[in-house]
Amino acid sequence: MLPPDTRRSSDKAHIANHYIRASIGGALRQGADAKRLIAEADIPGHWLDSPDKLITERQLSELVKAAWRATNDEFMGLSPHICKRGVFSLAAELSQGANTLGGMLKQSARMYSALSDDLDIGLELEGSSQTPLVFFRLHLRHQGEDADHFLQEFIMLMWQRFASWLVGQQIPIASTVFGYSAPAHAREYRAMYLGELIYEQPCSGFYLHPRYLQLPIIRNAVELQAFLRDCPAVVLHRPVRDNSLQTRIRVLLQRHDLEQMPELDDISQLLAIAPRTLRRKLMHEGTSIRQIKENLRHDFALKLLASEHLSVQEVAEQSGFAEAAAFCRAFKRWTGQSPSQWRQARC
C-alpha cells in the first residue's frame, strides 16, 4: 500500500457536507431512509441540512458502504443499470494475471465493457510526438442519475488510486479531465485528483505518459485481499500534497520522454520562474535539475528491472539511455552493482 499519511487522519473532518447527500442520492431515489443511512456512518441526522458541517474520510467511506448495501449495486443507484456487487473485486483479482500496469488497464477495460453499458472505458494513445500521452477513458454514458457527479468522481478516484497501489508508487497523472462543467464543489477536486484539472471535455478520464504502462504489477493475492477489505476507505483517502519546487519540476518532467526532458530555460519558462532564481531555490532544497532528472531515470529503471519480462537492453531504452552500456555505467554508479547483479540479488 502507498505510504500512510500521518499528517491527515481519516478521523479529521475536512470533506464538504455536499458529499453526504451526493453519496446516498441513488439509494434515496430507491426509497431508502436518509437518516438511517447516515446513522450507519455515525453522522447526526440534522447534518443533512447543515452545509457548514464537514465529515471525515471514515464517515464518507461508511456512507458509500451504506449505499452499496441499500442498493445492492456497486454504482450505488447512480446509473440506469445495476452493476452487481463484486464486479470490481473480480476485475482486481483478474489484474493479478497482468504483468504490467498497461496490461491491467486494458484487461479491466475489456471486462467492464462486456459487463456494463453505463461506463465507457478504454485506453488510447493521444498527445504529440514531443509529449505523447495515453488517455484512460472512464466516462459515464448517462449523467442524469448522477446529477452531483459522485459516481463519476468515485470511479475516477478508484482507478487512479488502485493503479498506483498495484505498482507500488504514485503514478504521475498529467491531467484529470471531466465531461462536465466545474461543479459548485470543484475546489474539493484539488485535494482529490492529480495533475491539471480540465472541465467541459468530450468525456472524463485521465492522461499519463505511456512509459508508466510498462511498470510491473508488484502486489500479490494476499495484499490484494487486504486492499479490497479496506475499500472504499483506501480509495477515498486524500494524501497531503508536496508543493516543493523539486516536486513541481519532477511532475512536469514526468510528462516527457526520459531522453527528451526539457532543459533549465524551458522549465523556467513553464514555471514562470527566472533561471537563476530556479537554480537558487533548488540549491536551497538540496537538489538541481540534473539531479531530479537522474533520480527519475534511476527510480523508473529500478521499477522496470524488477520485472522479469524485460531485458536489460529494453530497460535501458525505456529509461532514456541511447545505449545499454551507458545505462549499465549509470546503474553501477547508482547502486554499486550491474543491472544483472542487482536483478540476481533480488531472486
Side-chain angles (χ1 to χ4, degrees):
M1 192 172 294
L2 296 176
D5 179 2
T6 59
R7 291 173 290 179
R8 172 168 281 174
S9 167
S10 63
D11 289 321
K12 179 180 178 182
H14 58 268
I15 296 175
N17 184 274
H18 155 86
Y19 284 102
I20 297 180
R21 285 195 180 273
S23 61
I24 61 175
L28 297 183
R29 284 198 298 272
Q30 294 183 11
D33 180 76
K35 290 190 176 181
R36 181 175 178 179
L37 290 175
I38 68 172
E40 293 181 39
D42 197 27
I43 297 174
H46 68 278
W47 282 22
L48 273 170
D49 300 304
S50 302
D52 60 315
K53 300 294 185 182
L54 304 180
I55 62 174
T56 67
E57 290 173 4
R58 180 184 58 80
Q59 287 172 320
L60 181 55
S61 176
E62 293 302 319
L63 278 175
V64 171
K65 288 192 283 187
W68 282 341
R69 289 190 294 268
T71 61
N72 198 30
D73 176 7
E74 285 197 354
F75 287 172
M76 298 170 280
L78 296 172
S79 66
H81 306 101
I82 288 176
C83 181
K84 291 183 178 180
R85 295 185 67 185
V87 169
F88 177 72
S89 293
L90 178 59
E93 289 166 3
L94 290 175
S95 73
Q96 295 284 289
N99 290 323
T100 64
L101 176 64
M104 183 279 290
L105 294 177
K106 291 176 184 176
Q107 181 174 280
S108 298
R110 287 197 299 271
M111 177 178 163
Y112 268 92
S113 295
L115 293 176
S116 175
D117 292 327
D118 295 342
L119 181 63
D120 180 15
I121 179 172
L123 189 67
E124 53 200 47
L125 182 64
E126 294 193 13
S128 65
S129 57
Q130 286 79 25
T131 55
L133 293 171
V134 289
F135 182 59
F136 191 53
R137 188 175 66 257
L138 287 164
H139 185 69
L140 288 177
R141 289 191 171 98
H142 310 284
Q143 298 288 335
E145 287 80 3
D146 190 32
D148 292 314
H149 307 299
F150 183 77
L151 178 58
Q152 181 69 78
E153 294 167 0
F154 185 79
I155 288 172
M156 299 269 275
L157 272 181
M158 180 171 68
W159 286 103
Q160 288 191 9
R161 304 281 167 80
F162 181 58
S164 292
W165 178 84
L166 277 176
V167 299
Q169 73 167 71
Q170 181 60 70
I171 298 170
I173 305 299
S175 59
T176 303
V177 304
F178 306 91
Y180 49 87
S181 301
H185 60 285
R187 70 176 189 177
E188 294 283 314
Y189 285 16
R190 284 291 169 194
M192 294 162 61
Y193 301 108
L194 298 171
E196 183 183 4
L197 305 182
I198 306 174
Y199 299 96
E200 299 181 357
Q201 297 302 297
C203 61
S204 299
F206 57 87
Y207 288 91
L208 67 159
H209 194 282
R211 69 171 171 273
Y212 295 104
L213 300 182
Q214 295 299 318
L215 289 175
I217 303 297
I218 67 168
R219 303 299 182 178
N220 59 38
V222 173
E223 291 173 309
L224 177 60
Q225 291 307 311
F227 178 94
L228 294 173
R229 284 195 301 272
D230 288 340
C231 280
V234 67
V235 172
L236 297 171
H237 177 61
R238 300 182 181 185
V240 172
R241 293 174 181 268
D242 178 358
N243 290 319
S244 65
L245 180 58
Q246 60 183 297
T247 297
R248 291 170 60 196
I249 293 173
R250 185 180 175 96
V251 169
L252 187 156
L253 294 177
Q254 286 170 332
R255 301 178 187 179
H256 298 264
D257 290 335
L258 291 176
E259 71 274 16
Q260 295 179 333
M261 289 185 280
E263 300 299 332
L264 174 65
D265 288 343
D266 296 320
I267 296 170
S268 298
Q269 185 173 6
L270 289 168
L271 295 178
I273 301 175
R276 288 184 61 185
T277 303
L278 181 63
R279 191 181 292 111
R280 186 183 72 252
K281 288 185 174 181
L282 285 177
M283 188 179 302
H284 182 71
E285 291 185 9
T287 189
S288 63
I289 296 292
R290 179 180 178 181
Q291 186 60 54
I292 294 171
K293 291 181 177 181
E294 184 90 342
N295 289 343
L296 280 173
R297 293 190 177 101
H298 167 268
D299 294 346
F300 191 67
L302 289 183
K303 286 286 184 183
L304 293 187
L305 201 60
S307 174
E308 296 180 358
H309 75 283
L310 291 176
S311 68
V312 171
Q313 176 69 42
E314 290 171 322
V315 173
E317 291 173 358
Q318 294 186 32
S319 299
F321 290 86
E323 300 177 352
F327 169 67
C328 290
R329 289 193 297 271
F331 195 87
K332 193 159 188 178
R333 184 174 70 252
W334 297 334
T335 67
Q337 296 176 301
S338 70
S340 298
Q341 290 171 332
W342 185 89
R343 178 175 267 175
Q344 289 171 3
R346 290 177 53 87
C347 297

